[in-house]
Amino acid sequence: MPPKLYLVSTPIGNYDDITLRALEVLKNADFIVCEEFREARRLLSHFGITKELLSMNEHNEQETAPEIITKLKSVQSAALISDCGTPLFSDPGRYLVQLCIQQGIQITPLPGANSLITALMGSGMDIDRFYCYGWLSPKKEIREKELRDLKNVHEIIAIMETPYRLVRLLEDAAKVFNPTVPCVLAFELTSEKEQYFRGKLKDIAALAKDKQLKGEFVLLVDNS
């Protein structure tokens, strides 16, 4: 049979969210491609899975992907996982998948945990239409320009950032957008600390600063 690359979604906070199909694929894959060894080993150890791991991240994907293709051609299957959530969604893997398609290697995505969809589901907003911007630039000037451009998008806007820039993002967004627009901060989704903070953008910014919130999050701004 021709080789196959599985794109395996993994839990974003609660290990119980992994699917039976994901576990079966991870157990049977000839090797697993991951972002960071530590996160992958923690996940696999939790489920009693021992596999050869290859690390591919945003810094080495261009160099590592061809090597993975060569290895994949000599086996039946491999699995690609990110540190958490759905692979390729704001995570490495796009170049590897493109090479697989060019080489005739079958791509099989496994649906599962995803922070964006989870945030939208719990937001209470009308989510029939939304605009996912994803990650903002870490550079202040570029980030502010990105936010100004987003002000012209009249939809629910989904934004993500690193935990330590959460308060800064909310403060910048409150300055650029109308500070009274409704927003939802989906915080530490699926974990024991999961919370949804709902209200006006300026109030959520003040709350985050007061509570010194720092954790994984998705920010939904209703700019419709």
Side-chain angles (χ1 to χ4, degrees):
M1 294 181 63
K4 183 183 295 188
L5 177 66
Y6 290 94
L7 311 179
V8 183
S9 298
T10 56
I12 60 176
N14 188 327
Y15 279 164
D16 289 344
D17 289 335
I18 199 164
T19 67
L20 295 175
R21 188 182 177 199
L23 287 175
E24 189 69 17
V25 166
L26 293 175
K27 288 176 183 177
N28 293 321
D30 292 294
F31 65 93
I32 296 173
V33 182
C34 63
E35 274 189 89
E36 302 295 339
F37 288 131
R38 184 177 63 178
E39 293 297 330
R41 285 171 179 149
R42 182 182 295 125
L43 172 74
L44 296 174
S45 175
H46 180 82
F47 293 107
I49 299 172
T50 302
K51 285 289 171 180
E52 178 185 2
L53 295 175
L54 299 180
S55 175
M56 185 187 72
N57 54 52
E58 60 184 304
H59 304 295
N60 68 4
E61 182 173 2
Q62 294 289 321
E63 297 76 25
T64 305
E67 299 173 7
I68 293 172
I69 293 291
T70 300
K71 186 175 181 64
L72 184 52
K73 286 182 176 180
S74 67
V75 298
Q76 288 190 323
S77 68
L80 171 67
I81 61 174
S82 58
D83 284 345
C84 63
T86 302
L88 280 74
F89 192 82
S90 299
D91 284 322
R94 179 175 58 87
Y95 182 60
L96 174 62
V97 168
Q98 289 175 339
L99 289 183
C100 285
I101 293 171
Q102 292 171 9
Q103 297 289 324
I105 296 171
Q106 183 177 340
I107 301 298
T108 302
L110 275 61
N114 179 287
S115 60
L116 171 63
I117 300 303
T118 305
L120 289 164
M121 288 169 59
S123 69
M125 294 176 166
D126 181 352
I127 59 174
D128 286 345
R129 296 179 62 183
F130 62 89
Y131 181 89
C132 178
Y133 188 82
W135 290 71
L136 292 172
S137 171
K139 298 181 179 179
K140 180 176 175 61
E141 297 79 9
I142 299 176
R143 184 173 66 251
E144 290 177 349
K145 182 183 183 301
E146 290 173 333
L147 287 170
R148 288 194 299 270
D149 290 342
L150 286 174
K151 188 177 180 180
N152 297 317
V153 177
H154 299 294
E155 302 285 353
I156 293 173
I157 303 170
I159 303 172
M160 284 167 275
E161 252 287 15
T162 57
Y164 60 88
R165 283 198 289 266
L166 167 56
V167 172
R168 191 184 312 167
L169 166 62
L170 286 165
E171 291 177 339
D172 289 346
K175 292 176 184 176
V176 173
F177 291 93
N178 182 331
T180 62
V181 298
C183 77
V184 174
L185 177 65
F187 184 74
E188 291 287 356
L189 293 171
T190 77
S191 75
E192 293 181 355
K193 298 179 181 178
E194 177 182 284
Q195 285 185 275
Y196 284 85
F197 300 101
R198 304 176 178 89
K200 298 175 182 177
L201 187 52
K202 65 175 183 178
D203 295 335
I204 300 301
L207 179 147
K209 184 175 183 179
D210 181 61
K211 289 181 173 290
Q212 296 185 323
L213 291 181
K214 186 177 180 181
E216 301 292 340
F217 70 92
V218 177
L219 175 63
L220 302 174
V221 179
D222 189 352
N223 198 43
S224 58

Short mmCIF file of all heavy atoms in Angstrom, two decimals, residues 33-77:
data_model
loop_
_atom_site.label_atom_id
_atom_site.label_comp_id
_atom_site.label_asym_id
_atom_site.label_seq_id
_atom_site.Cartn_x
_atom_site.Cartn_y
_atom_site.Cartn_z
N VAL A 33 5.56 12.65 13.86
CA VAL A 33 6.22 13.96 13.70
C VAL A 33 5.55 14.93 14.67
O VAL A 33 4.32 15.07 14.67
CB VAL A 33 6.07 14.48 12.26
CG1 VAL A 33 6.80 15.82 12.11
CG2 VAL A 33 6.61 13.46 11.26
N CYS A 34 6.35 15.59 15.48
CA CYS A 34 5.81 16.49 16.50
C CYS A 34 6.52 17.83 16.46
O CYS A 34 7.55 17.97 15.81
CB CYS A 34 5.94 15.86 17.89
SG CYS A 34 7.67 15.60 18.40
N GLU A 35 5.95 18.80 17.18
CA GLU A 35 6.61 20.11 17.30
C GLU A 35 7.77 20.04 18.29
O GLU A 35 8.92 20.29 17.96
CB GLU A 35 5.61 21.17 17.76
CG GLU A 35 4.82 21.82 16.66
CD GLU A 35 4.03 23.00 17.18
OE1 GLU A 35 4.59 24.12 17.19
OE2 GLU A 35 2.87 22.81 17.57
N GLU A 36 7.42 19.71 19.53
CA GLU A 36 8.41 19.66 20.60
C GLU A 36 8.37 18.29 21.27
O GLU A 36 7.29 17.77 21.56
CB GLU A 36 8.15 20.75 21.64
CG GLU A 36 8.14 22.16 21.07
CD GLU A 36 9.48 22.60 20.51
OE1 GLU A 36 10.50 21.99 20.91
OE2 GLU A 36 9.51 23.51 19.68
N PHE A 37 9.54 17.70 21.50
CA PHE A 37 9.60 16.37 22.09
C PHE A 37 8.90 16.32 23.45
O PHE A 37 8.19 15.35 23.77
CB PHE A 37 11.06 15.94 22.26
CG PHE A 37 11.74 15.60 20.96
CD1 PHE A 37 12.98 16.15 20.66
CD2 PHE A 37 11.17 14.74 20.05
CE1 PHE A 37 13.63 15.83 19.48
CE2 PHE A 37 11.80 14.42 18.85
CZ PHE A 37 13.04 14.98 18.56
N ARG A 38 9.10 17.35 24.27
CA ARG A 38 8.56 17.30 25.63
C ARG A 38 7.05 17.17 25.64
O ARG A 38 6.48 16.33 26.36
CB ARG A 38 8.99 18.56 26.41
CG ARG A 38 8.54 18.54 27.87
CD ARG A 38 9.05 19.75 28.61
NE ARG A 38 8.52 21.00 28.07
CZ ARG A 38 8.78 22.20 28.57
NH1 ARG A 38 9.58 22.32 29.62
NH2 ARG A 38 8.26 23.28 28.04
N GLU A 39 6.37 18.00 24.84
CA GLU A 39 4.91 17.96 24.80
C GLU A 39 4.42 16.64 24.23
O GLU A 39 3.45 16.05 24.72
CB GLU A 39 4.37 19.13 23.96
CG GLU A 39 4.62 20.50 24.56
CD GLU A 39 3.91 20.69 25.89
OE1 GLU A 39 2.84 20.08 26.10
OE2 GLU A 39 4.43 21.43 26.74
N ALA A 40 5.08 16.17 23.16
CA ALA A 40 4.66 14.91 22.54
C ALA A 40 4.85 13.73 23.49
O ALA A 40 3.97 12.86 23.60
CB ALA A 40 5.44 14.69 21.26
N ARG A 41 5.97 13.70 24.16
CA ARG A 41 6.24 12.58 25.09
C ARG A 41 5.26 12.58 26.25
O ARG A 41 4.85 11.52 26.72
CB ARG A 41 7.68 12.66 25.59
CG ARG A 41 8.70 12.22 24.53
CD ARG A 41 10.12 12.51 24.96
NE ARG A 41 11.09 12.06 23.95
CZ ARG A 41 12.24 12.64 23.72
NH1 ARG A 41 12.61 13.70 24.45
NH2 ARG A 41 13.05 12.18 22.79
N ARG A 42 4.90 13.77 26.72
CA ARG A 42 3.93 13.85 27.81
C ARG A 42 2.58 13.27 27.38
O ARG A 42 1.95 12.50 28.10
CB ARG A 42 3.77 15.30 28.26
CG ARG A 42 2.80 15.46 29.44
CD ARG A 42 2.63 16.92 29.82
NE ARG A 42 3.86 17.49 30.31
CZ ARG A 42 4.45 18.59 29.84
NH1 ARG A 42 3.90 19.23 28.81
NH2 ARG A 42 5.57 19.03 30.35
N LEU A 43 2.15 13.65 26.17
CA LEU A 43 0.87 13.15 25.65
C LEU A 43 0.92 11.64 25.45
O LEU A 43 0.03 10.90 25.92
CB LEU A 43 0.56 13.83 24.31
CG LEU A 43 -0.64 13.28 23.55
CD1 LEU A 43 -1.94 13.70 24.22
CD2 LEU A 43 -0.63 13.74 22.09
N LEU A 44 1.93 11.16 24.76
CA LEU A 44 2.02 9.74 24.46
C LEU A 44 2.18 8.90 25.72
O LEU A 44 1.60 7.81 25.84
CB LEU A 44 3.18 9.49 23.49
CG LEU A 44 3.04 10.14 22.11
CD1 LEU A 44 4.31 9.94 21.29
CD2 LEU A 44 1.83 9.62 21.37
N SER A 45 2.95 9.40 26.67
CA SER A 45 3.14 8.67 27.93
C SER A 45 1.82 8.53 28.68
O SER A 45 1.55 7.48 29.28
CB SER A 45 4.16 9.40 28.80
OG SER A 45 4.28 8.79 30.07
N HIS A 46 1.01 9.56 28.62
CA HIS A 46 -0.30 9.53 29.29
C HIS A 46 -1.14 8.37 28.77
O HIS A 46 -1.91 7.76 29.54
CB HIS A 46 -1.02 10.85 29.09
CG HIS A 46 -2.36 10.93 29.74
ND1 HIS A 46 -2.53 11.24 31.08
CD2 HIS A 46 -3.61 10.71 29.26
CE1 HIS A 46 -3.82 11.22 31.38
NE2 HIS A 46 -4.50 10.90 30.28
N PHE A 47 -1.01 8.08 27.48
CA PHE A 47 -1.82 7.01 26.88
C PHE A 47 -1.03 5.72 26.68
O PHE A 47 -1.51 4.80 26.02
CB PHE A 47 -2.39 7.49 25.53
CG PHE A 47 -3.40 8.60 25.66
CD1 PHE A 47 -3.07 9.89 25.29
CD2 PHE A 47 -4.65 8.35 26.19
CE1 PHE A 47 -3.99 10.92 25.43
CE2 PHE A 47 -5.58 9.38 26.33
CZ PHE A 47 -5.25 10.66 25.96
N GLY A 48 0.16 5.66 27.25
CA GLY A 48 0.95 4.44 27.19
C GLY A 48 1.44 4.09 25.79
O GLY A 48 1.55 2.91 25.44
N ILE A 49 1.76 5.10 25.01
CA ILE A 49 2.22 4.89 23.63
C ILE A 49 3.71 5.22 23.54
O ILE A 49 4.14 6.28 23.98
CB ILE A 49 1.43 5.77 22.64
CG1 ILE A 49 -0.07 5.42 22.69
CG2 ILE A 49 1.97 5.61 21.22
CD1 ILE A 49 -0.94 6.36 21.89
N THR A 50 4.47 4.31 22.95
CA THR A 50 5.90 4.53 22.74
C THR A 50 6.17 4.49 21.24
O THR A 50 5.90 3.47 20.59
CB THR A 50 6.74 3.47 23.44
OG1 THR A 50 6.45 3.48 24.84
CG2 THR A 50 8.22 3.73 23.25
N LYS A 51 6.68 5.58 20.70
CA LYS A 51 6.94 5.66 19.27
C LYS A 51 8.20 6.47 18.99
O LYS A 51 8.61 7.32 19.80
CB LYS A 51 5.77 6.34 18.55
CG LYS A 51 4.53 5.50 18.40
CD LYS A 51 4.74 4.38 17.38
CE LYS A 51 3.56 3.42 17.40
NZ LYS A 51 3.73 2.34 16.42
N GLU A 52 8.80 6.22 17.82
CA GLU A 52 9.89 7.07 17.37
C GLU A 52 9.32 8.45 17.05
O GLU A 52 8.29 8.58 16.38
CB GLU A 52 10.54 6.49 16.12
CG GLU A 52 11.65 7.36 15.56
CD GLU A 52 12.21 6.86 14.25
OE1 GLU A 52 11.70 5.83 13.74
OE2 GLU A 52 13.14 7.51 13.73
N LEU A 53 9.99 9.48 17.55
CA LEU A 53 9.55 10.85 17.33
C LEU A 53 10.55 11.62 16.49
O LEU A 53 11.76 11.51 16.69
CB LEU A 53 9.36 11.58 18.67
CG LEU A 53 8.27 11.08 19.61
CD1 LEU A 53 8.32 11.86 20.93
CD2 LEU A 53 6.89 11.21 18.98
N LEU A 54 10.03 12.41 15.57
CA LEU A 54 10.84 13.35 14.80
C LEU A 54 10.29 14.75 15.06
O LEU A 54 9.07 14.95 15.02
CB LEU A 54 10.78 13.04 13.30
CG LEU A 54 11.29 11.67 12.86
CD1 LEU A 54 11.15 11.54 11.34
CD2 LEU A 54 12.74 11.48 13.26
N SER A 55 11.17 15.69 15.36
CA SER A 55 10.72 17.04 15.66
C SER A 55 10.75 17.91 14.39
O SER A 55 11.75 17.96 13.68
CB SER A 55 11.61 17.67 16.73
OG SER A 55 11.24 19.02 16.94
N MET A 56 9.63 18.58 14.13
CA MET A 56 9.54 19.54 13.04
C MET A 56 8.77 20.75 13.55
O MET A 56 7.61 20.64 13.94
CB MET A 56 8.82 18.94 11.83
CG MET A 56 8.80 19.87 10.61
SD MET A 56 7.77 19.22 9.27
CE MET A 56 6.13 19.47 9.98
N ASN A 57 9.43 21.90 13.57
CA ASN A 57 8.77 23.10 14.08
C ASN A 57 8.94 24.25 13.09
O ASN A 57 9.47 24.07 11.99
CB ASN A 57 9.31 23.47 15.46
CG ASN A 57 10.83 23.58 15.47
OD1 ASN A 57 11.42 24.29 14.64
ND2 ASN A 57 11.48 22.87 16.39
N GLU A 58 8.49 25.42 13.48
CA GLU A 58 8.51 26.57 12.59
C GLU A 58 9.92 26.98 12.17
O GLU A 58 10.11 27.64 11.16
CB GLU A 58 7.82 27.76 13.26
CG GLU A 58 8.49 28.19 14.56
CD GLU A 58 7.74 29.31 15.25
OE1 GLU A 58 7.53 30.35 14.60
OE2 GLU A 58 7.37 29.14 16.43
N HIS A 59 10.91 26.56 12.95
CA HIS A 59 12.29 26.96 12.66
C HIS A 59 13.01 26.00 11.71
O HIS A 59 13.97 26.40 11.06
CB HIS A 59 13.08 27.06 13.96
CG HIS A 59 12.47 28.00 14.97
ND1 HIS A 59 12.37 29.35 14.75
CD2 HIS A 59 11.90 27.75 16.18
CE1 HIS A 59 11.78 29.92 15.79
NE2 HIS A 59 11.49 28.98 16.67
N ASN A 60 12.55 24.75 11.64
CA ASN A 60 13.30 23.78 10.84
C ASN A 60 12.47 23.04 9.80
O ASN A 60 12.95 22.06 9.20
CB ASN A 60 13.99 22.76 11.76
CG ASN A 60 12.99 21.84 12.47
OD1 ASN A 60 11.79 21.89 12.24
ND2 ASN A 60 13.51 20.99 13.35
N GLU A 61 11.23 23.46 9.57
CA GLU A 61 10.34 22.69 8.68
C GLU A 61 10.91 22.57 7.26
O GLU A 61 10.85 21.50 6.65
CB GLU A 61 8.95 23.32 8.62
CG GLU A 61 7.99 22.51 7.75
CD GLU A 61 6.55 22.99 7.80
OE1 GLU A 61 6.28 23.99 8.51
OE2 GLU A 61 5.71 22.37 7.15
N GLN A 62 11.46 23.65 6.72
CA GLN A 62 11.98 23.61 5.35
C GLN A 62 13.09 22.58 5.20
O GLN A 62 13.20 21.92 4.16
CB GLN A 62 12.51 25.00 4.96
CG GLN A 62 11.44 26.09 4.88
CD GLN A 62 10.51 25.91 3.69
OE1 GLN A 62 10.94 25.54 2.62
NE2 GLN A 62 9.24 26.20 3.88
N GLU A 63 13.93 22.43 6.22
CA GLU A 63 15.03 21.48 6.15
C GLU A 63 14.60 20.06 6.51
O GLU A 63 15.10 19.08 5.94
CB GLU A 63 16.16 21.90 7.11
CG GLU A 63 16.80 23.23 6.80
CD GLU A 63 15.96 24.42 7.19
OE1 GLU A 63 15.13 24.27 8.11
OE2 GLU A 63 16.12 25.50 6.59
N THR A 64 13.65 19.94 7.44
CA THR A 64 13.27 18.63 7.97
C THR A 64 12.24 17.92 7.10
O THR A 64 12.27 16.69 6.99
CB THR A 64 12.71 18.79 9.40
OG1 THR A 64 13.67 19.47 10.20
CG2 THR A 64 12.39 17.44 10.02
N ALA A 65 11.34 18.66 6.47
CA ALA A 65 10.25 18.04 5.72
C ALA A 65 10.74 17.07 4.64
O ALA A 65 10.19 15.96 4.52
CB ALA A 65 9.36 19.12 5.10
N PRO A 66 11.75 17.42 3.81
CA PRO A 66 12.22 16.45 2.81
C PRO A 66 12.74 15.16 3.43
O PRO A 66 12.56 14.07 2.86
CB PRO A 66 13.34 17.21 2.09
CG PRO A 66 12.98 18.66 2.27
CD PRO A 66 12.42 18.73 3.65
N GLU A 67 13.39 15.26 4.59
CA GLU A 67 13.90 14.07 5.27
C GLU A 67 12.73 13.20 5.73
O GLU A 67 12.80 11.96 5.68
CB GLU A 67 14.76 14.47 6.46
CG GLU A 67 15.99 15.29 6.09
CD GLU A 67 16.73 15.81 7.30
OE1 GLU A 67 16.37 15.43 8.43
OE2 GLU A 67 17.68 16.60 7.12
N ILE A 68 11.65 13.84 6.20
CA ILE A 68 10.48 13.09 6.63
C ILE A 68 9.82 12.39 5.45
O ILE A 68 9.38 11.23 5.56
CB ILE A 68 9.48 14.04 7.32
CG1 ILE A 68 10.08 14.57 8.64
CG2 ILE A 68 8.15 13.33 7.59
CD1 ILE A 68 9.27 15.65 9.30
N ILE A 69 9.78 13.05 4.30
CA ILE A 69 9.22 12.44 3.09
C ILE A 69 9.99 11.17 2.73
O ILE A 69 9.41 10.13 2.43
CB ILE A 69 9.25 13.44 1.91
CG1 ILE A 69 8.30 14.61 2.15
CG2 ILE A 69 8.91 12.72 0.60
CD1 ILE A 69 6.84 14.25 2.11
N THR A 70 11.30 11.27 2.75
CA THR A 70 12.15 10.11 2.44
C THR A 70 11.87 8.95 3.39
O THR A 70 11.73 7.80 2.96
CB THR A 70 13.64 10.49 2.51
OG1 THR A 70 13.90 11.54 1.57
CG2 THR A 70 14.52 9.30 2.20
N LYS A 71 11.79 9.25 4.66
CA LYS A 71 11.51 8.22 5.66
C LYS A 71 10.11 7.64 5.48
O LYS A 71 9.90 6.44 5.59
CB LYS A 71 11.68 8.79 7.07
CG LYS A 71 11.55 7.77 8.19
CD LYS A 71 11.84 8.41 9.52
CE LYS A 71 11.73 7.42 10.66
NZ LYS A 71 12.75 6.35 10.57
N LEU A 72 9.15 8.52 5.19
CA LEU A 72 7.75 8.10 5.05
C LEU A 72 7.58 7.13 3.88
O LEU A 72 6.77 6.20 3.93
CB LEU A 72 6.86 9.34 4.85
CG LEU A 72 5.35 9.15 4.77
CD1 LEU A 72 4.83 8.35 5.96
CD2 LEU A 72 4.66 10.50 4.72
N LYS A 73 8.37 7.31 2.83
CA LYS A 73 8.26 6.44 1.66
C LYS A 73 8.71 5.01 1.95
O LYS A 73 8.39 4.09 1.19
CB LYS A 73 9.09 7.01 0.51
CG LYS A 73 8.47 8.23 -0.15
CD LYS A 73 9.33 8.72 -1.30
CE LYS A 73 8.67 9.89 -2.03
NZ LYS A 73 9.51 10.38 -3.16
N SER A 74 9.43 4.82 3.04
CA SER A 74 9.93 3.49 3.38
C SER A 74 9.04 2.75 4.38
O SER A 74 9.35 1.61 4.75
CB SER A 74 11.35 3.59 3.94
OG SER A 74 11.34 4.25 5.21
N VAL A 75 7.96 3.40 4.81
CA VAL A 75 7.05 2.79 5.79
C VAL A 75 5.62 2.87 5.27
O VAL A 75 5.36 3.31 4.16
CB VAL A 75 7.18 3.48 7.16
CG1 VAL A 75 8.59 3.34 7.71
CG2 VAL A 75 6.79 4.96 7.07
N GLN A 76 4.68 2.45 6.11
CA GLN A 76 3.27 2.48 5.71
C GLN A 76 2.57 3.77 6.12
O GLN A 76 1.73 4.28 5.39
CB GLN A 76 2.53 1.28 6.30
CG GLN A 76 2.89 -0.04 5.64
CD GLN A 76 1.97 -1.15 6.09
OE1 GLN A 76 1.55 -1.21 7.24
NE2 GLN A 76 1.65 -2.05 5.17
N SER A 77 2.90 4.29 7.32
CA SER A 77 2.18 5.47 7.77
C SER A 77 2.97 6.24 8.81
O SER A 77 3.83 5.68 9.51
CB SER A 77 0.82 5.09 8.36
OG SER A 77 0.97 4.38 9.57
#
